Amino acid sequence: MIKSLYTRVVLIFLVSVIGGTIIAFFVATWVFEDKLNENLGIPLLNFGQDVAKIYETLPLREADAFVSGMNQLNSYHIRIYEDTGQFQSYGALNGHKLITVTNEQVKKVLDGEIVQVNRGGVSTVLLGLPMITERGKQAMFVEPIAPPSTSFVIKWILNFSSYSLIAGSLLILVAAMFLVKPIKKLTKATRHIAGGDFNVKLNIKQTGELGTLARSFEEMTHDLQQLEKMRREFVANVSHEVQSPLTSISGYALALKQEDIAHNERHRYLDIIIAEADRMSKMSDSLLKLSMLESQSQQLQLDTVSVDEQIRRVIVAIQPQWMARNIRFELNLEAVRLEADYDQLNQVWTNILVNSIKFSKDDSVINVSIKQDTKNVTVRISDKGIGISYEDQKRIFERFFKADRSHSRKYTGSGMGLAIVKQIVSLHQGNIRVESEPGNGTTFIVTLPIATPNK
C-alpha cells in the first residue's frame, strides 16, 4: 500500500485523467459512430464517383490514361473488374497490402449496388461502385492506401492526450507539493505535541478545508497547552494541600513518641492529628466527587425540588456556624419548584452559604433571595465579607484556587467547594456567576432552568 499522500495524489490524478480520457473517447466514438462513418467515407465516395464519371464520359483509352496520371492515386488504389472476374489496377501500392475482393462483392456491384467495407467500425477501407464503360458494366473498387483520416485523428488524439498528461502531471506534481506541505507541517507539529512541546506555530495561511484544519489544530494546541498548565497547577496544588497535613501528622506523631509528654499535650496532639486526617479525608472526597461530576459518570437523579424550602433546611443545618459568629439571614424566598437532583442541589446551597459565612464579618447579614420567570429560577446569595478582587473573580471556580491567599491560614478550606458548585450547576444546564468588590462583600448568582433535560 502506498503510504505517501503526495504519491497517492499524483497517482489518483494520472488514473483519473487517463481513465477519463479513454472512457470519453470510446463513449464519443460509440455515440457518433454512424456520423463518423458517414463523414469519413465521403472523400472516398466522391473520388470513386469522379472516376466513374470519367469512364462514362471519355473513351476508354483516354479515360485509362487520365486516371493513370491522377495524383490521387498516391492515396487511393483502383481496381476495375470485368464480369469475367478479370480486373485492372491503377496506382502504386507502396508496400500496402490490398484487401481481397470476393466474387460475391463483384457480383453485387455489377448488379448496381454500392459495396462498403468497414474495419474498426469507423473508417471505410474498401468501396465498390458500379460504372458503365465502352465494355459495358464494370465494378470499380477503390481502396485508400494512405492512412485514413480517422487513423490520423486517433493518432492526433493520442499524441494530444500524451502531451496533456505530461503537462498535467508536471503541474499536479507542483500543486501536490503545496497541498502536502501544510499536512507535513501538521504531522511535524503533532510529533512536537506528543513530546510535550505545545509552543507550535504552523503559519498556514491557506483557506478552505486545509486552512480550517490548521486553525482547528492551533486551537486544539492552545487548549492542550491550557490543560497541561492546569494539570501542572493541579499536581502542585494537590502536593501542597497534602503536604501540609502530612507534615503536621508526621510531626505530632513523632512528638507522641516522647515518654515525658504531658497528658493534656498528648490529647492536644491527637486532636490535631485527627483534624488533619479529617481534612485530608474531606479533600479526597471532594476530589473524587469533582472527578465524577466532570466525567459525568454520576447521572442526575431528577425530582421536583422546592428550592425555597431546601435553602431554609440548609440554613438550619449549618446553624452552629452562623450562630457562633452572630450572623443573621434576611430571606426573600418565593415559593419555587423545579426539576433537579435534590442531593446535588443541596450541596450547591451548602457550599455557597458556608463560603459566605466563612468570609463574612461577625454580626453581619447574609441576604438570600429567589426570583422566577417563565423559564428560569435565579437565586442570589449576598454577604458583607472581605470580597474578591477582580482578577481572582475570573478564577474563583477553579479547583484548589483560593481568593486572597494572604487569608489562607485564617480561612481554612481545600479550594474545591466552588469548583464542585460550578460543575453541578453546569450539569443542570444552569449558570453561576459572582459579583464582588474587595471589602464590600460578594454576591453569588445561580440561574437554573425550571425543567432540566435528563442527561
Side-chain angles (χ1 to χ4, degrees), residues 144-360:
I145 58 175
S149 57
T150 180
S151 299
F152 172 77
V153 171
I154 293 174
K155 184 178 180 181
W156 181 84
I157 290 175
L158 291 176
N159 279 275
F160 175 78
S161 300
S162 300
Y163 297 142
S164 299
L165 187 60
I166 294 171
S169 299
L170 293 175
L171 291 174
I172 196 64
L173 285 172
V174 176
M177 291 176 62
F178 288 99
L179 177 66
V180 176
K181 187 176 180 180
I183 297 178
K184 288 184 176 179
K185 283 186 176 181
L186 287 171
T187 304
K188 186 177 180 180
T190 303
R191 294 196 185 101
H192 281 285
I193 292 174
D197 179 13
F198 298 99
N199 296 318
V200 178
K201 298 295 182 182
L202 294 176
N203 294 323
I204 296 176
K205 298 180 181 179
Q206 294 185 5
T207 58
E209 289 81 359
L210 282 176
T212 303
L213 176 61
R215 287 190 293 274
S216 299
F217 189 89
E218 289 177 340
E219 291 174 0
M220 180 196 71
T221 303
H222 180 266
D223 293 341
L224 288 174
Q225 193 171 17
Q226 295 299 316
L227 286 174
E228 177 64 13
K229 182 180 178 182
M230 290 174 62
R231 183 189 69 81
R232 291 178 180 178
E233 289 181 355
F234 174 75
V235 172
N237 287 329
V238 170
S239 300
H240 174 75
E241 294 296 332
V242 170
Q243 187 64 35
S244 179
L246 281 179
T247 301
S248 297
I249 291 173
S250 176
Y252 285 106
L254 289 173
L256 286 173
K257 294 180 68 177
Q258 299 177 12
E259 296 181 359
D260 57 346
I261 189 172
H263 183 72
N264 59 340
E265 286 293 309
R266 183 182 302 274
H267 276 280
R268 188 171 70 84
Y269 292 169
L270 287 172
D271 289 338
I272 293 173
I273 291 174
I274 292 171
E276 292 297 324
D278 184 60
R279 182 154 75 97
M280 289 185 62
S281 177
K282 289 180 179 179
M283 183 178 64
S284 176
D285 290 341
S286 296
L287 276 173
L288 180 60
K289 183 174 185 61
L290 187 58
S291 176
M292 292 176 63
L293 289 171
E294 288 179 343
S295 65
Q296 297 186 10
S297 60
Q298 185 173 351
Q299 296 293 325
L300 295 178
Q301 304 296 323
L302 297 181
D303 198 0
T304 302
V305 178
S306 177
V307 180
D308 57 311
E309 182 63 26
Q310 188 180 48
I311 290 177
R312 288 190 180 94
R313 289 178 180 272
V314 171
I315 292 173
V316 171
I318 60 175
Q319 183 176 1
Q321 299 183 37
W322 53 269
M323 283 287 290
R325 299 177 54 194
N326 198 27
I327 295 174
R328 296 179 294 107
F329 281 87
E330 289 188 1
L331 306 180
N332 182 17
L333 308 179
E334 294 183 13
V336 171
R337 301 171 72 87
L338 53 77
E339 294 294 319
D341 187 310
Y342 184 90
D343 293 333
Q344 302 282 12
L345 206 57
N346 194 77
Q347 176 130 32
V348 169
W349 313 132
T350 301
N351 287 6
I352 295 177
L353 290 170
V354 168
N355 211 61
S356 296
I357 294 170
K358 182 192 302 184
F359 293 101
S360 290

Side-chain angles (χ1 to χ4, degrees), residues 83-108:
D83 55 0
T84 60
Q86 295 179 347
F87 67 91
Q88 186 174 356
S89 299
Y90 300 89
L93 293 176
N94 297 325
H96 179 78
K97 186 177 181 181
L98 294 174
I99 296 174
T100 302
V101 178
T102 64
N103 293 330
E104 182 181 357
Q105 291 172 336
V106 174
K107 185 177 183 304
K108 286 183 178 180

Side-chain angles (χ1 to χ4, degrees), residues 39-154:
N39 291 332
L40 294 175
I42 288 176
L44 185 62
L45 178 63
N46 290 338
F47 175 72
Q49 289 175 344
D50 289 342
V51 172
K53 188 176 290 184
I54 291 171
Y55 275 98
E56 292 173 0
T57 305
L58 299 177
L60 183 60
R61 184 172 295 179
E62 292 181 13
D64 285 339
F66 186 85
V67 171
S68 298
M70 296 177 68
N71 291 328
Q72 285 89 335
L73 293 180
N74 293 325
S75 300
Y76 300 100
H77 187 274
I78 300 173
R79 283 174 285 179
I80 300 177
Y81 282 81
E82 305 283 347
D83 55 0
T84 60
Q86 295 179 347
F87 67 91
Q88 186 174 356
S89 299
Y90 300 89
L93 293 176
N94 297 325
H96 179 78
K97 186 177 181 181
L98 294 174
I99 296 174
T100 302
V101 178
T102 64
N103 293 330
E104 182 181 357
Q105 291 172 336
V106 174
K107 185 177 183 304
K108 286 183 178 180
V109 174
L110 290 174
D111 290 340
E113 295 184 25
I114 297 177
V115 174
Q116 189 172 348
V117 178
N118 297 329
R119 288 184 181 176
V122 176
S123 61
T124 301
V125 295
L126 182 66
L127 179 66
L129 296 172
M131 68 178 187
I132 300 176
T133 66
E134 293 177 355
R135 296 177 182 175
K137 288 184 178 181
Q138 291 183 304
M140 179 179 61
F141 286 87
V142 183
E143 181 177 347
I145 58 175
S149 57
T150 180
S151 299
F152 172 77
V153 171
I154 293 174

